[in-house]
Amino acid sequence: MGVKLLLDKAHVEGIRYFDVYRREGGYRSVEKALKEMTPDTIVEEVKKSGLRGRGGAGFPTGMKWSFIAKPEGVPRHLVCNADESEPGTFKDRYLMEFLPHLLIEGLIVSSFALGSNATYIYIRGEYAWIPDILEQAIEEARANGFLGKNILGTGFDCEIYVHRGAGAYICGEETALIESLEGKRGNPRIKPPFPAIKGAWDRPTVVNNVETLAAVVPIINMGGEEYAKIGVGKSTGTKLISACGNINKPGVYEIDMTISVEEFIYSDEYCGGIPNGKRLKACIPGGSSVPILPANLLLKTAKGETRYMNYESLSDGGFATGSMMGSGGFIVLDEDQCVVRNTYTLARFYRHESCGQCSPCREGTGWMEKILKAIDTGKGKMSDIDLLWDIQRRIEGNTICPLGDAAAWPVAAAIRHFRDEFEWHVLNPEESQR
Amino acid sequence: MVKFSDDKINKVNEIIARYPEGKQKSALLPLLHLAQEEFGNWLDVPVMDYVAELLQITPIEVYEVATFYSMYNLKPVGKYMFEVCQTGPCMLRGSDDIIAYIGTKLGIKPGETTADGMFTLKTVECLGACGYAPMMQLGKHFREHLTKEKVDQLIEECRSKAAQNN
Ligand SMILES: NC(=O)C1=CN([C@@H]2O[C@H](COP(=O)(O)OP(=O)(O)OC[C@H]3O[C@@H](n4cnc5c(N)ncnc54)[C@H](O)[C@@H]3O)[C@@H](O)[C@H]2O)C=CC1
Ligand SMILES: Cc1cc2nc3c(=O)[nH]c(=O)nc-3n(C[C@H](O)[C@H](O)[C@H](O)COP(=O)(O)O)c2cc1C
Ligand code: SF4
Ligand code: FES
């Protein structure tokens, strides 16, 4: 069994409620942080922990926190990104649904560190039943003196509000999220300025993922140095992986980033192998936007070394032969799956979710969807494959936000590793009809 | 006439108070959710105008938001909306078959509503339940690990619920 820092109590009966959570040692980090530490020493601990943003970009959290601007007399905000919409990703939902107090605890400590008296949880609208769970946890925390005015008599005031989105993947991008929080369309802003300088209502704002903020709890409890000893290299601590697709045991797993991809897929502790004894064909290891890898490059790197479930190892080989940890959405395809069809559904997703501000993204995602659909259904030409390659290349890097890249990468990787499958569809139109 | 009850007006004020003073527009998304629940599960123009009035913003500011987000219905929808996910991870677990099955069973295509106004079938993109696929959203909740039998049950469940309410 690997180390568990977040989900260790997930199966305790009643852990969703304050009393049980508290009895199990909950809210100790708030007492420690508010009474024994200062905002600066908390930021230092988080820096020492090596924690990297769990939303997908992997940016060092402590460093981001130390960048927050502190202009005189201007309020600052912490915003928790619970928009979770990257296909394959459903880990934040699990945390909020089963361990709401862990998130609230992390939010209080982080709010104190950042000086946020009003903290917002921006949750995707479709998770419509979860705001009730969070709001109940918030009420319980308040009733017990952990939220509201003068928390634990320390003079620190903090409120946490839940803000529901309304169905738009793009609102997970932090600047689109901020626009949406302000009651606007989710059109990303140009960065810089980063939110830490100019965010919600033009105030300094830190946006962090649910899992990142939950991880602050064990970091404060055990100390940053101890946390950094778990894991390997720059992949410190534990990571939640949401596993789905053709595996025996889909679900959310906490790993310590030292296990191999092979162990993760085949061990009974995790995915439990592929159903019906089928063979592994391919995998998208970090959410739909990261490159798909064929089985051979997934289990071993191009150099023939074992591939591990951590940031460095998953990206070993760059885009030519590697992929990314991303948001931890692990999507497995068995030998019967069609990579072209899978890529088509993802292209359709990104076209649907493009906010339309940049022409390469708005037009390019539509073209890619159309061409992929044609190829998938046996109506494509050989030249379409090159056209597709060309379009994705022209989107990447030419847009305001990375949604354009996110749309381009899966297409590029599918062609790179599975070109023969695209060609098969073109050459076998009859058999491709759906 | 479009108007919230006093109870709901209290809720509106409580929501507005969550945001900094003068930034009441921030309450737009939550208020549109509230309005949609309250006024027949879709946002007619007078409803949007009413929300604009409550927030002291121009109607166009409401329209541009309501048209951007997929959860706001700008047309009437069936009493029960089956929003079935069709993105990659769900497709890998057979969502195409489920969508086709529901379509045949209800005699409608995705995007359509049954003649009796009871069911709308809608295909949607990833809802964050990929590990429990195939799945759909039905009202506030997710229905996961769908099979044809489960779909049959759900349709029955909705029909009998509707019958009870009449
Ligand atoms: N969890 C999910 O559902 C999804 C996750 N993603 C992930 O999102 C990632 C892209 O996110 P971005 O926010 O565009 O990445 P980014 O690299 O621009 O930023 C990452 C974080 O670091 C901060 N940051 C970076 N440089 C900074 C500086 N100089 N000063 C202050 N703050 C700084 C940003 O504000 C942001 O919070 C992708 O890699 C993808 O994996 C994408 C889609 C969905
Ligand atoms: C299109 C797009 C969608 C995103 N969606 C999410 C999301 O749903 N959840 C999330 O935490 N980060 C998402 N991000 C990343 C955020 O912009 C940001 O990097 C993150 O919230 C920072 O938190 P972290 O440092 O704790 O990871 C998305 C980025 C892009 C470009
Ligand atoms: S890249 Fe796409 S989603 Fe991002 S700002 Fe441009 S058009 Fe909008
Ligand atoms: S792909 Fe269907 S819920 Fe994620």
Side-chain angles (χ1 to χ4, degrees), chain A residues 28 51 55 402:
Chain A
R28 270 184 301 143
L51 175 66

Side-chain angles (χ1 to χ4, degrees), chain A residues 54-57 59 64 67 83-86 89 91-92 169 173-174 191 194-196 207 209 286 289-290 324 326-327 402 409:
Chain A
R54 303 296 194 224
F59 193 83
K64 179 153 91 186
F67 287 160
D83 194 57
E84 185 156 75
S85 321
E86 171 94 340
T89 317
K91 65 189 177 70
D92 298 336
Y169 164 77
E173 194 283 331
E174 55 180 5
K191 295 196 286 192
F194 286 95
V207 180
N209 176 255
S289 61
V290 312
M324 276 160 72
S327 59
W409 294 341

Side-chain angles (χ1 to χ4, degrees), chain A residues 81-382:
Chain A
N81 189 343
D83 194 57
E84 185 156 75
S85 321
E86 171 94 340
T89 317
F90 47 99
K91 65 189 177 70
D92 298 336
R93 166 187 170 188
Y94 186 93
L95 270 181
M96 294 188 285
E97 218 176 338
F98 297 105
L99 292 161
H101 280 288
L102 180 66
L103 175 61
I104 303 302
E105 180 176 356
L107 282 173
I108 300 169
V109 173
S110 308
S111 299
F112 178 67
L114 293 161
S116 168
N117 304 118
T119 290
Y120 297 86
I121 302 175
Y122 184 102
I123 183 167
R124 69 176 300 176
E126 294 90 344
Y127 288 170
W129 70 100
I130 299 183
D132 295 342
I133 298 174
L134 294 172
E135 276 165 359
Q136 186 186 351
I138 290 168
E139 276 323 304
E140 287 183 320
R142 179 201 310 283
N144 286 279
F146 286 99
L147 270 176
K149 292 240 173 294
N150 192 19
I151 298 172
L152 304 179
T154 60
F156 176 59
D157 302 339
C158 184
E159 296 292 346
I160 298 175
Y161 303 109
V162 182
H163 181 102
R164 250 182 96 198
Y169 164 77
I170 190 58
C171 290
E173 194 283 331
E174 55 180 5
T175 61
L177 184 154
I178 288 169
E179 288 282 307
S180 182
L181 183 64
E182 294 181 357
K184 302 179 203 151
R185 298 166 74 102
N187 288 347
R189 299 174 180 173
I190 292 173
K191 295 196 286 192
F194 286 95
I197 309 298
K198 198 173 165 198
W201 309 291
D202 290 341
R203 300 167 175 182
T205 304
V206 162
V207 180
N208 271 131
N209 176 255
V210 169
E211 184 189 347
T212 311
L213 293 162
V216 170
V217 174
I219 290 171
I220 295 305
N221 282 334
M222 67 201 293
E225 262 163 46
E226 284 303 308
Y227 183 90
K229 285 182 193 157
I230 300 163
V232 56
K234 287 191 174 152
S235 300
T236 62
T238 61
K239 176 84 190 82
L240 297 184
I241 305 289
S242 56
C244 62
N246 307 119
I247 47 175
N248 280 315
K249 292 170 55 196
V252 177
Y253 298 100
E254 182 169 13
I255 61 163
D256 68 7
M257 296 196 266
T258 60
I259 61 169
S260 69
V261 176
E262 185 160 6
E263 182 183 351
F264 185 69
I265 295 179
Y266 290 101
S267 142
D268 274 338
E269 199 181 322
Y270 304 106
C271 304
I274 319 280
N276 308 318
K278 287 193 186 148
R279 273 194 321 234
L280 169 70
K281 177 180 201 170
C283 173
I284 305 173
S288 61
S289 61
V290 312
I292 189 170
L293 288 178
N296 59 330
L297 283 176
L298 175 74
L299 303 178
K300 294 220 186 309
T301 66
K303 287 173 268 172
E305 289 162 1
T306 303
R307 205 185 278 284
Y308 292 93
M309 295 287 290
N310 62 52
Y311 291 92
E312 291 78 15
S313 188
L314 285 172
S315 57
D316 190 327
F319 278 8
T321 59
S323 184
M324 276 160 72
M325 172 69 108
S327 59
F330 195 87
I331 310 168
V332 177
L333 280 71
D334 72 26
E335 57 185 312
D336 292 344
Q337 298 297 345
C338 171
V339 170
V340 177
R341 177 141 188 91
N342 190 57
T343 310
Y344 157 60
T345 73
L346 299 182
R348 182 181 58 208
F349 172 85
Y350 289 108
R351 189 266 305 149
H352 186 255
E353 304 298 340
S354 166
C355 84
Q357 278 191 108
C358 328
S359 13
C361 172
R362 182 186 61 238
E363 305 300 325
T365 52
W367 280 37
M368 292 198 301
E369 179 195 6
K370 237 170 143 171
I371 298 170
L372 277 160
K373 182 174 186 177
I375 298 176
D376 178 47
T377 51
K379 299 185 190 79
K381 301 189 291 286
M382 266 317 165

